[in-house]
Amino acid sequence: MTKSVELVFGAGGVKGYFHIGLLKAIEELGIKVDKVTGVSVGAIIATFFTNGMNSDQILKLFLEAHEKSGNPLLLASAVTVPDMKSFLVGMSFLSLEKPWEETVEHLGLLPNDRLRIVACDARTKKAVLFEGTSYKLHLALSASGALPGVFLPVHFDDKMLIDGAAYHRNPDEFCKTTAIISALGFATRLSLELQDPISAYFQWREVYLPVVQQPTKVDETRHVLVAHEADDICGLAFNLSTKRCMWMYEQGYKHGMQVLRQAIADGKLEGSAEGGSESAATAD
Amino acid sequence: MKSLQLQKRILSFAHRDGVAEPQSELTSLVDTLGLGIPSHVLSSSPPQFVALQIALEGGERVENHLDTLDTTGAVSEDSQQQS
């Protein structure tokens, strides 16, 4: 019987396409995945995957959503009048709660035993985990992606929760077995691709004034790290061309395939090192 | 048609007048079109998620199938038989 591993999808906004490419490689290599931990965009992909979607389906949904992401009207449902405390933490008028509540309901997504979502307590900066089947999924997803300065925090019990990346971009410590860690790097230079003013601002901010540049280090003796690099793409560059998104997907697949094959050869993972190809087949 | 629009159309089809068990309609759609949707998803996921899977997996084939049912009147005949 093949031993299953855990999977961690780290934070990184639009760079989540790398995760989807890696997921494709995992499927083709026949690696059995048990629990999936997700932070921010990683939490979204973890939710789709543990609800039963495969990489092709997730890619298709992401690309379709991406086509609409340039529409500022989309932000309308996120605009809210915050209480003073929330505003002082989030410095924003945008809340992810309503859009996620609608999306979770509309897509029929459920919390489940294979899913672990990580958010961060704004006051203590400690991790807050959403696990099991009895929490409100839209709150967990909203909290995990509530990047201060862009989105308002989420009230939960007596806490205010913010983006799990403020705790750790790739939290591996909660994994009980060997895990594959899909880590998305930071933008460290400005993009040469022409961007809209909002994306250009976020790019500038991630390079020069990062809000969330918290720990990224993972235990490589225990886990398999797949580190994806795209130093000119910032997490909030939602107006990227589809070509660039597909490039990230392809790179995630190729690099993931390379690292995972090696891990199988080293006996760290179980799977078929012969599986897969050199290029990811794209979704319809 | 985008997947989310198609999902909506599939849900309307499954919940049309006279259908007692929308979930069975979705399962029968999966069987008719031979879509590779895991049985545990069909049995334990909410109808919205099953419809989304059908839309993502079947795409144009589902659209054409629903168009055919619309034009041949099969949908309304079925509805009448069941009601």
Side-chain angles (χ1 to χ4, degrees):
Chain A
M1 197 175 151
T2 313
K3 200 172 77 181
S4 58
V5 293
E6 294 197 31
L7 184 53
V8 176
F9 287 130
V14 74
K15 284 189 270 198
Y17 284 95
F18 282 111
H19 290 327
I20 309 172
L22 172 67
L23 192 55
K24 177 86 177 168
I26 289 171
E27 289 166 354
E28 289 189 1
L29 291 172
I31 296 170
K32 220 173 139 197
V33 176
D34 182 19
K35 195 138 186 167
V36 188
T37 301
V39 184
S40 204
V41 69
I44 301 172
I45 296 170
T47 300
F48 286 165
F49 178 63
T50 58
N51 267 268
M53 281 190 200
N54 61 34
S55 61
D56 286 343
Q57 295 172 337
I58 299 172
L59 177 65
K60 201 170 177 184
L61 264 191
F62 262 59
L63 288 172
E64 286 183 8
H66 186 80
E67 281 176 28
K68 292 195 289 182
S69 65
N71 181 355
L73 287 175
L74 276 183
L75 287 177
S77 68
V79 174
T80 187
V81 180
D83 59 86
M84 187 51 82
K85 252 184 170 178
S86 299
F87 183 74
L88 290 176
V89 172
M91 291 290 171
S92 168
F93 291 95
L94 300 175
S95 165
L96 288 169
E97 286 182 48
K98 197 170 164 222
W100 267 121
E101 187 173 13
E102 287 168 1
T103 304
V104 164
E105 168 67 26
H106 188 82
L107 302 187
L109 299 169
L110 298 172
N112 60 79
D113 288 326
R114 291 180 63 211
L115 177 65
R116 179 189 291 126
I117 294 178
V118 183
C120 176
D121 183 334
R123 192 176 59 82
T124 62
K125 284 195 101 178
K126 287 193 172 148
V128 174
L129 303 185
F130 290 89
E131 288 186 279
T133 56
S134 57
Y135 61 90
K136 287 184 176 163
L137 183 57
H138 76 277
L139 283 187
L141 289 167
S142 308
S144 189
L147 180 66
V150 184
F151 298 112
L152 290 162
V154 170
H155 288 270
F156 178 75
D157 292 340
D158 57 342
K159 301 179 179 74
M160 269 201 280
L161 305 185
I162 56 171
D163 196 320
Y167 168 73
H168 196 301
R169 299 261 295 192
N170 318 296
D172 59 337
E173 73 209 66
F174 309 111
C175 300
K176 309 243 177 345
T177 60
T178 301
I180 298 167
I181 318 283
S182 186
L184 308 172
F186 297 104
T188 54
R189 63 190 172 95
L190 296 178
S191 173
L192 296 178
E193 193 175 284
L194 188 64
Q195 293 179 308
D196 65 286
I198 296 174
S199 299
Y201 164 72
F202 284 126
Q203 178 91 21
W204 175 86
R205 208 183 73 167
E206 187 169 313
V207 173
Y208 297 112
L209 286 174
V211 176
V212 178
Q213 283 219 351
Q214 296 305 315
T216 59
K217 210 169 161 38
V218 300
D219 181 357
E220 287 187 67
T221 56
R222 207 176 144 219
H223 304 304
V224 177
L225 174 66
V226 184
H228 309 281
E229 296 298 335
D231 62 0
D232 68 332
I233 301 176
C234 87
L236 292 168
F238 288 105
N239 252 8
L240 279 185
S241 61
T242 303
K243 196 177 156 193
R244 200 83 164 109
C245 296
M246 286 306 296
W247 175 83
M248 288 190 277
Y249 168 73
E250 280 282 343
Q251 289 302 310
Y253 175 84
K254 281 183 195 163
H255 182 50
M257 199 50 106
Q258 211 178 348
V259 174
L260 296 178
R261 275 184 179 148
Q262 188 58 52
I264 291 170
D266 293 344
K268 216 167 169 183
L269 297 177
E270 284 184 27
S272 159
E274 305 304 313
S277 57
E278 293 313 307
S279 173
T282 54
D284 294 336
Chain B
M1 190 184 276
K2 298 282 180 221
S3 303
L4 294 184
Q5 284 170 286
L6 185 53
Q7 179 219 23
K8 234 183 225 174
R9 189 173 171 199
I10 294 165
L11 279 173
S12 308
F13 165 76
H15 285 95
R16 68 192 185 276
D17 287 347
V19 173
E21 289 179 35
Q23 196 83 24
S24 312
E25 287 295 301
L26 295 173
T27 307
S28 123
L29 197 56
V30 169
D31 292 342
T32 308
L33 295 168
L35 303 175
I37 295 175
S39 53
H40 70 269
V41 170
L42 289 174
S43 60
S44 59
S45 299
Q48 301 97 304
F49 188 75
V50 176
L52 177 65
Q53 288 257 299
I54 295 172
L56 287 164
E57 211 48 41
E60 213 171 309
R61 274 202 301 151
V62 183
E63 252 183 282
N64 293 339
H65 182 70
L66 294 179
D67 285 346
T68 310
L69 292 177
D70 278 349
T71 44
T72 57
V75 169
S76 49
E77 278 169 25
D78 283 348
S79 308
Q80 281 164 11
Q81 279 167 12
Q82 288 183 39
S83 60

